[in-house]
Amino acid sequence: MDGEVPGPHSGPMESFENLVRTEFAPKTTYLNTAGTGLLPARTLVAMRDAAASAAAGLPSDMFADVEASRSAYARLMGVPATRVATGASVATFSGLVASSLPAGAEVLTAEADFSSLVNPLHLRDDLKVRGVPLERIAESVGPDTALVAVSSVQSADGRIADLAAVREAARTHGARTLIDVSQSNGWLPSAADDFDFVVAVAYKWVLCPRGVAFLVVPEDLGESAGLTPLFAGWASGERPWDSCYGRVEELAHSARRFDESPALFSYTGARHSLALIEELGVETVHAHDTALADRFRAGLASLGHEPVPAPGSAIVSVPGLGHRQEELSRAGVQVSDRAGNLRAAFHVYNTAADVDRLLDVLAG
């Protein structure tokens, strides 16, 4: 694959390039991972096999797949699996955190951040939700701030939040943090241990099926923050199969108490997608993705276009070109139209040839 960055594997291990070739064969120039990632071949096979087994009356133990997914995600985030809850959406987990806040609490968000993160906070009309420009979010944390909620990478344009500054400002003022890493998981190294709550959907950069989301909670399972497992069902019990009827007498002694009843087929696929990201290595993926994004930025400059400033991001958004999305799609180039921007997202299955194809169509 022209322009690929070599992976870290040698000897019996497949190279980055060969591993990607084995798992992906897109039929288009697919540059829309910020919308939806492509499913690896191994994930598709696992889901097909599980569906066939269920249809035959021989279902596999897909709850084991949930636990394997939880463990794999915990390794990616650098935390124990006991701190990871599984679910299906960012909005549900954001609403759970919102429910823990006292009436009148101030919540600080970035202006025009993704709705699934911020809307559940706005729906509590007894909270004081304040939006500020992304670049000013750390300096805007004050003594009255109870929670800072921000995406690590902005969906609309790929700008990267200064999470180190957010962390320090929150610690200085005693505020808690809720970080959405949906647009950075898998390509931008991150440390969940630096924050109180970290949430993400997994169908983008970590290449899982839809229906998979994760919430990382503190070591005390959020008890000091007043986090309550409002949505706990039987699957949230310490012994789930003994928790099917009536009140769940003993909640899980881990973040599993915050689990939603899982979309099992999605998690059957997710464990294999997460394993692939582990094999490729986030640092290697980061180098590959950002090199392609930088190639695109350089090509845009030669065409007289200026993207939204987002240095170091795998997402590149170009103001005023969003209307060309349909034209590009007809030409077999898949990108997004977001907030009037043409948004291209570069990931493991992309090559320098893909970047050049997008530039050629834009120049035409």
Side-chain angles (χ1 to χ4, degrees):
M1 295 164 64
D2 183 29
E4 291 291 354
V5 177
H9 309 305
S10 59
M13 298 295 289
E14 291 181 293
S15 69
F16 180 96
E17 178 181 343
N18 288 337
L19 187 53
V20 169
R21 285 178 184 267
T22 299
E23 296 291 344
F24 301 101
K27 304 300 183 184
T28 65
T29 301
Y30 191 82
L31 301 169
N32 194 28
T33 299
T36 304
L38 298 182
L39 291 179
R42 64 177 72 180
T43 301
L44 184 59
V45 168
M47 295 178 73
R48 283 175 172 168
D49 288 349
S53 294
L58 300 167
S60 57
D61 182 5
M62 289 185 281
F63 285 98
D65 296 327
V66 177
E67 296 312 311
S69 298
R70 189 193 316 273
S71 295
Y73 188 77
R75 289 191 296 271
L76 285 175
M77 299 303 292
V79 298
T82 53
R83 289 180 53 191
V84 177
T86 65
S89 73
V90 163
T92 298
F93 285 140
S94 178
L96 185 68
V97 174
S99 73
S100 71
L101 297 170
E106 178 184 274
V107 180
L108 187 65
T109 69
E111 291 177 347
D113 209 333
F114 199 75
S115 296
S116 293
L117 174 65
V118 300
N119 195 57
L121 299 162
H122 282 282
L123 287 176
R124 271 203 55 183
D125 57 12
D126 58 348
L127 298 178
K128 299 174 183 177
V129 182
R130 182 163 62 100
V132 299
L134 179 68
E135 295 75 16
R136 292 180 48 204
I137 194 161
E139 68 185 61
S140 299
V141 180
D144 295 329
T145 306
L147 179 73
V148 184
V150 65
S151 294
S152 55
V153 174
Q154 294 294 294
S155 172
D157 52 31
R159 288 176 297 150
I160 300 175
D162 186 349
L163 292 185
V166 169
R167 178 193 63 217
E168 293 309 312
R171 287 177 177 175
T172 296
H173 294 286
R176 301 191 186 277
T177 46
L178 170 61
I179 309 299
D180 182 353
V181 296
S182 297
Q183 291 291 4
S184 62
N185 259 354
W187 71 267
L188 184 63
S190 58
D193 229 10
D194 289 341
F195 305 98
D196 296 289
F197 305 104
V198 179
V199 66
V201 290
Y203 64 84
K204 300 177 185 290
W205 301 88
V206 289
L207 310 172
C208 295
R210 283 183 178 264
V212 175
F214 298 99
L215 171 69
V216 180
V217 301
E219 288 184 4
D220 71 351
L221 307 184
E223 288 186 5
S224 62
L227 194 67
T228 303
L230 295 176
F231 311 121
W234 71 276
S236 302
E238 176 64 14
R239 293 175 295 278
W241 296 110
D242 294 332
S243 303
C244 294
Y245 305 104
R247 178 178 178 175
V248 177
E249 297 295 339
E250 186 179 9
L251 290 169
H253 303 162
S254 68
R256 190 167 56 77
R257 63 176 54 189
F258 302 110
D259 279 13
E260 295 180 69
S261 186
L264 291 176
F265 290 102
S266 292
Y267 277 91
T268 291
R271 69 178 298 177
H272 298 282
S273 294
L274 293 165
L276 175 61
I277 295 295
E278 286 191 274
E279 290 174 43
L280 293 170
V282 174
E283 294 283 357
T284 303
V285 174
H286 176 263
H288 171 85
D289 291 6
T290 55
L292 294 178
D294 286 345
R295 184 185 184 98
F296 182 49
R297 290 186 182 96
L300 285 170
S302 69
L303 295 178
H305 299 298
E306 185 175 348
V308 173
S313 182
I315 300 172
V316 183
S317 290
V318 193
L321 291 185
H323 67 281
R324 298 193 63 181
Q325 182 268 329
E326 290 187 6
E327 169 197 345
L328 287 160
S329 181
R330 290 193 296 271
V333 180
Q334 303 301 324
V335 294
S336 293
D337 175 5
R338 290 292 185 274
N341 302 326
L342 184 148
R343 186 187 69 182
F346 303 92
H347 205 21
V348 295
Y349 30 68
N350 296 130
T351 68
D354 292 336
V355 178
D356 296 343
R357 172 62 179 157
L358 173 56
L359 290 168
D360 287 344
V361 177
L362 288 174

